[in-house]
Amino acid sequence: MHYLPRIVVLLMLLVFSNCTTATKKPVTTEAVIERITSEEMVKLMEDQKILVIDVRTPEEFETGYISAAENIDFRNKNFMDSIATLDKSKPVIVYCERGGRSLKCSQIMKEAGFTKIYDLDGGISQWKFDGRDVAVD
């Protein structure tokens, strides 16, 4: 019976020590890839400063691109070096022709440390189908 007070004290110490360590755990933010529609993309481009990356080839880019887009060819051997120069803390929209390359690119960018990645669902093909303008040089 004389052990009961010691057990109670030990249990209280365990409970309180777990409470304080739980609040000291660092908050980690998991990178997110979100598929978006052309309508959502327009809104994002209006509401915030956002990087827009066209991952098609330069030849595809020349046929028409979404204004404000930077062309970084996913198939180019320097692709990783090119994305390494970008600010990883800024949100980025990635698109290609139909969505396949941009999804792969989004995964790579997530692994490279980008924190918020939007992938245009259906690519520039869907953008044009929705009646949105493209720029041509």
Side-chain angles (χ1 to χ4, degrees), residues 33-104:
I33 300 171
E34 184 179 337
R35 299 283 291 221
I36 58 171
T37 65
S38 66
E39 183 178 338
E40 291 168 322
M41 182 171 169
V42 168
K43 182 145 179 51
L44 283 168
M45 291 169 59
E46 290 172 351
D47 291 347
Q48 57 185 297
K49 188 162 175 72
I50 194 161
L51 299 169
V52 181
I53 308 295
D54 183 326
V55 297
R56 298 176 301 155
T57 65
E59 295 77 22
E60 290 173 299
F61 186 78
E62 288 174 5
T63 65
Y65 57 91
I66 298 170
S67 65
E70 179 180 346
N71 183 220
I72 302 178
D73 183 0
F74 177 63
R75 295 181 180 153
N76 187 295
K77 64 181 179 178
N78 297 322
F79 175 76
M80 292 301 291
D81 293 334
S82 296
I83 66 166
T85 64
L86 302 174
D87 184 350
K88 294 179 172 107
S89 66
K90 286 186 179 177
V92 61
I93 297 172
V94 182
Y95 73 90
C96 63
E97 188 65 36
R98 291 188 183 91
R101 280 176 282 179
S102 63
L103 185 58
K104 290 176 189 174

